[in-house]
Amino acid sequence: MKGKIAFEEHMAIEDTLQDAKIFAGESGQWDEFAEEILDLDEHRLATMDRAGIQMAILSLNAPAIQAILDRDEAVETSEKANDRMAAAVTAHPDRYAALAALPMQDPKTAGEELKRCVNELGFKGALVNGFTQRDVADSAFYYDIPGYRDFWQVVSDLDVPFYLHPRMQIPERCEIYDGHPWLKSSPWGFAVETSTHALRLCGSGLFDDFPNLRIIVGHQGEGIPFGLWRMDARMRFSPRGYCGKRPLGDYFREHFHVTTSGNYNDAAFRCTIDTLGTEQLYFCSDYPFERMEDASEWFDNTDVITEEQRQQIGRANAIKLFGLDL
Ligand code: GRE
Ligand code: ZN
């Protein structure tokens, strides 16, 4: 399929590049990977062409800003990354758009930066890499806590989507993975971390306070579609501490948008479609952690969807979600 729009498509700046090394450095192809993630010109555009991707909505790599302990450095690095993305959009306005990196260490400044990005630079929303550390390495701030309500007010006022992207759990807080470092990152731990964070948002009453929030999660929903029925079923018996006014599943189905990033699998796709329908589903690749060609090869050919649904999920839904002028 030509004309696809993809929006879990990562870039890096020199300051955040090293964060990708533990994920991509072991393949022995670090130099190539580094070139790919830094490049926003010919190489990436040619790869997009081969994969039938007309537009990539760029975002910073993980965990990047969210792992910077110093508040001022987090603010400066976000601005730098966002300015870099803005320059790429200016250079190739018909091929790129951008999602803001945000210094969640300081919710007020994060809101200000989001306003700058959306109102002045024309960004389409934000992509944040899970919880934020601050001041000390052994810290993890999740965005359901009261300190972030003013930030969500800004997101709600701007009415832009917020992509909740994975990051790895910090070493001080992941005993369950001891002795199994492979289990901690993208094969499993990313999904546990991100889905739990997403459910915290649902259970915090956030969506009662801000009914227009739209949260995006990747990887076919980070496992939530598969578990949703049971969660609602069991919540009838153990709703301890749950602050939502409505059942969990209602919030997920109403406020969450799910992408195919890095999970090119028919069974997962069917489950996600069964849970959400096709209107809140989107094609994404997760380049350069994945190959755009692999994402497209699967998406363009899967017979789980009709041709009409392929157009919808590959393009039309994204135009609507981000209000793109295409
Ligand atoms: C990602 O950003 O999506 C990612 C990583 C590291 C490994 C795999 C992956 O940051 O998909
Ligand atoms: Zn990603």
Side-chain angles (χ1 to χ4, degrees), residues 8 10 19-20 23 61-63 129 165-166 185-186 190 219 286 289-290:
E8 192 183 320
H10 302 297
D19 280 9
F23 302 112
N61 65 310
N129 295 310
H165 183 273
S185 66
S186 51
F190 275 21
H219 312 109
D286 211 354
F289 298 94
E290 305 282 347

Side-chain angles (χ1 to χ4, degrees), residues 1-4 49 51-54 300 311 315:
M1 173 187 164
K2 289 204 189 315
K4 292 194 289 294
D49 288 341
I53 298 174
Q54 179 189 343
D300 294 356
Q311 291 296 325
R315 180 180 172 87

Side-chain angles (χ1 to χ4, degrees), residues 102 104 107 110-112 114-115 118 124-128 143 148-163 206-207 210 212-216:
L102 296 178
M104 300 298 280
E112 294 301 320
L114 182 58
K115 278 189 218 163
V118 172
K124 303 303 174 193
L127 181 141
V128 169
Y143 310 133
Y148 286 102
R149 287 304 158 110
D150 289 348
F151 167 77
W152 289 116
Q153 181 71 59
V154 174
V155 179
S156 172
D157 290 345
L158 292 170
D159 200 17
V160 292
F162 179 97
Y163 205 129
L206 182 67
F207 301 116
F210 302 107
N212 70 332
L213 288 183
R214 292 170 290 167
I215 310 293
I216 306 163

